[in-house]
Amino acid sequence: MTMDLISRRGILGVFAATTVAATPVMANAFGFLRGNAGDMRRVKMYNGRTGESIDTVYWVDGKYIREALNEINVFMRDWRTGEVIGIDPRMVDVAAASARLLQTNEPYMMLSGYRSPRTNAMLRRQSGGVAQNSLHLTGKAADLRLKSRSVGQMYQAAVACRAGGVGRYSRSNFVHMDCGPVRTWGS
């Protein structure tokens, strides 16, 4: 379904599935991940630089699946150096919850997942928009794009999760999502 903004029905359906209480902010993202067919979480991504894809259920009935998380760790590695670290599962939850809010089955194009200190330093020399202490360095962030959704739509969905930082990069056509403190930036 093509839409300019997240559909009202979709938002209402998502909010109906969540409870409003004084709980940690990640509870919002978790609520968006609950489905009618049991409680499972799935992520779909591809990396245009490596040609790799991932489509995996990484959480079922209250438990993360270690083998799936290991697969995600390798997929989201620093493709420039080959370095792999443990990706924070909460970051994957933010991406999965945002995709669910957008009512899309399309895989994300991952532009950047984990970044080694060497890669981050190189990117900082090339661009003023790369943070010295980026959450990419700790496996807590990803830069993502969808063909079927605008940067604005992706940004709104990620912000609605209230589960971390969301940056809008309209000129570069991607959204930064992380599981750090809740904050927003960009244009």
Side-chain angles (χ1 to χ4, degrees):
M1 158 169 65
T2 304
M3 55 188 150
D4 289 330
L5 298 173
I6 300 168
S7 74
R8 184 171 184 256
R9 190 176 88 200
I11 291 284
L12 292 174
V14 168
F15 283 114
T18 61
T19 58
V20 179
T23 57
V25 291
M26 285 303 291
N28 283 358
F30 298 149
F32 295 143
L33 290 167
R34 294 195 202 292
N36 295 334
D39 204 2
M40 69 175 210
R41 299 176 188 166
R42 177 181 186 182
V43 68
K44 294 168 74 170
M45 289 190 254
Y46 72 95
N47 185 327
R49 298 179 192 279
T50 66
E52 297 170 329
S53 299
I54 190 169
D55 180 352
T56 188
V57 173
Y58 66 93
W59 193 89
V60 175
D61 293 329
K63 295 183 182 172
Y64 289 105
I65 301 167
R66 174 58 32 212
E67 296 80 14
L69 292 178
N70 290 340
E71 185 181 350
I72 291 167
N73 294 342
V74 172
F75 176 82
M76 294 185 73
R77 73 189 177 281
D78 182 329
W79 63 270
R80 290 173 177 91
T81 66
E83 291 177 54
V84 176
I85 67 164
I87 300 298
D88 191 318
R90 297 173 306 157
M91 195 256 95
V92 183
D93 287 337
V94 173
S98 296
R100 184 162 221 156
L101 263 176
L102 289 165
Q103 299 177 351
T104 183
N105 208 18
E106 175 190 346
Y108 284 111
M109 173 190 269
M110 185 190 71
L111 304 173
S112 183
Y114 167 66
R115 285 189 209 142
S116 68
R118 189 172 90 192
T119 293
N120 203 66
M122 181 267 301
L123 292 172
R124 277 183 54 76
R125 287 190 297 274
Q126 293 177 355
S127 170
V130 176
Q132 182 174 357
N133 295 316
S134 170
L135 290 177
H136 287 278
L137 293 163
T138 57
K140 295 180 186 302
D143 297 335
L144 304 169
R145 176 184 294 158
L146 287 170
K147 289 179 186 175
S148 67
R149 300 295 189 269
S150 71
V151 168
Q153 290 169 321
M154 289 178 61
Y155 176 83
Q156 288 175 356
V159 168
C161 293
R162 291 185 33 227
V166 183
R168 179 191 330 216
Y169 294 89
S170 297
R171 285 187 301 191
S172 300
N173 192 29
F174 74 88
V175 172
H176 168 98
M177 297 179 196
D178 69 51
C179 61
V182 174
R183 67 219 186 283
T184 61
W185 65 92
S187 59

